[in-house]
Amino acid sequence: MHKLMTHINFSDTSLKLHQSGILFWPEKKIAIVSDLHLEKSSFFAKYGRFLPPYESLLTLQRLCKILKRFSIKSLILLGDTFHDNHGYIRLSRDSKKKFDHIISKYETTFILGNHDRNIAIPNVRKVFNLNIGKINFCHEFSSSSKLFEVSGHYHPKFVLKKYNNKISKKCFVISRLKIILPAFGNFTGGLDVNSKVFQSLIREKCDYFLLHPKKLYHLPSRFIK
């Protein structure tokens, strides 16, 4: 089963999963995106580990392009928007212009993550969590079994190994009470949903939606070991 957008019902609310890894709440005109990890390349450059220096601009351009296609008014950045607390001041002129354009165009809530907990960005509402209706938005998964929650942090991906080949795809993790978003950033790794970390994290039955440039692939829980 695959398509570009997938509708899900979560906490009696209709949400849309997008193949880019963005979660949309059409009724509220909200877009939710997690783990951009902007300026990851410049952070590692300080320690002699050089990555292509354009990931921030590419990530922001991709985000801006997708958001333009939808009628949204608000944006929730779900944590680790920057790779470290000084990432914003290291943005190139073009990247900063693009980032500032996004946060000025949409009413933006910047949820603090473990990487950017003490970041200083002007004209942005910064919080540790945000409650809208019955849904709590935060960076890292809460163990509360009674809380409807949307989070990021774990960069979930599905890894399939067969013979000498390995397929790895970022994915949404969806249970009755929890949604974990994939990392949106260009240079973000991931944690295999088959790992013991995920198995201990969510004890409910989950569905997995794998990202693809043109499609979302739905994997029910029976496909996960």
Side-chain angles (χ1 to χ4, degrees):
M1 175 183 177
H2 57 73
K3 48 189 173 180
L4 187 65
M5 297 277 289
T6 295
H7 293 257
I8 63 168
N9 188 55
F10 184 73
S11 181
D12 297 322
T13 300
S14 179
L15 303 177
K16 287 183 178 180
L17 312 178
H18 189 262
Q19 55 82 23
S20 65
I22 299 176
L23 178 67
F24 288 96
W25 190 344
E27 180 187 3
K28 301 286 188 182
K29 296 187 175 181
I30 298 174
I32 304 103
V33 61
S34 189
D35 293 276
L36 275 66
H37 282 270
L38 301 173
E39 291 306 301
K40 182 176 182 177
S41 60
S42 62
F43 175 83
F44 280 109
K46 295 188 300 182
Y47 302 98
R49 296 174 60 187
F50 297 103
L51 300 170
Y54 309 111
E55 48 51 64
S56 292
L57 184 58
L58 291 174
T59 297
L60 290 168
Q61 287 175 335
R62 184 162 57 94
L63 176 61
C64 194
K65 183 179 179 180
I66 296 167
L67 295 181
K68 283 181 180 178
R69 300 175 189 166
F70 298 90
S71 178
I72 68 163
K73 292 182 178 179
S74 302
L75 174 65
I76 300 174
L77 297 172
L78 209 58
D80 287 359
T81 301
F82 287 87
H83 192 70
D84 67 286
N85 289 319
H86 305 289
Y88 178 73
I89 62 176
R90 294 201 309 274
L91 286 171
S92 68
R93 182 178 63 180
D94 288 342
S95 296
K96 185 176 184 298
K97 183 178 179 181
K98 184 65 69 175
F99 181 83
D100 289 346
H101 168 75
I102 290 171
I103 64 174
S104 64
K105 183 174 182 178
Y106 307 106
E107 182 182 341
T108 302
T109 301
F110 190 106
I111 292 178
L112 299 166
N114 56 297
H115 278 264
D116 52 13
R117 188 174 300 270
N118 297 306
I119 199 164
I121 302 175
N123 305 315
V124 175
R125 178 191 182 193
K126 294 184 282 291
V127 298
F128 283 103
N129 58 69
L130 175 69
N131 288 289
I132 304 177
K134 296 180 181 179
I135 303 176
N136 180 56
F137 296 88
C138 59
H139 178 60
E140 191 168 352
F141 181 94
S142 164
S143 59
S144 172
S145 60
K146 298 181 179 180
L147 188 67
F148 286 102
E149 183 179 80
V150 178
S151 63
H153 180 63
Y154 288 97
H155 304 198
K157 67 177 181 179
F158 175 75
V159 179
L160 176 64
K161 296 177 182 178
K162 191 169 184 179
Y163 305 115
N164 292 323
N165 298 317
K166 183 172 77 170
I167 299 173
S168 177
K169 294 291 183 183
K170 296 180 181 182
C171 66
F172 289 94
V173 180
I174 314 287
S175 74
R176 185 179 68 87
L177 289 170
K178 309 292 183 182
I179 297 176
I180 301 179
L181 267 62
F184 187 84
N186 276 29
F187 285 172
T188 49
L191 179 63
D192 187 355
V193 294
N194 284 305
S195 71
K196 292 181 179 180
V197 173
F198 268 109
Q199 301 306 315
S200 63
L201 200 63
I202 305 182
R203 300 187 182 276
E204 296 183 297
K205 182 177 73 173
C206 294
D207 285 286
Y208 305 87
F209 293 87
L210 278 59
L211 308 191
H212 182 274
K214 296 183 179 180
K215 303 171 183 177
L216 269 174
Y217 288 89
H218 176 208
L219 287 183
S221 58
R222 66 179 181 272
F223 287 92
I224 305 298
K225 296 177 183 178

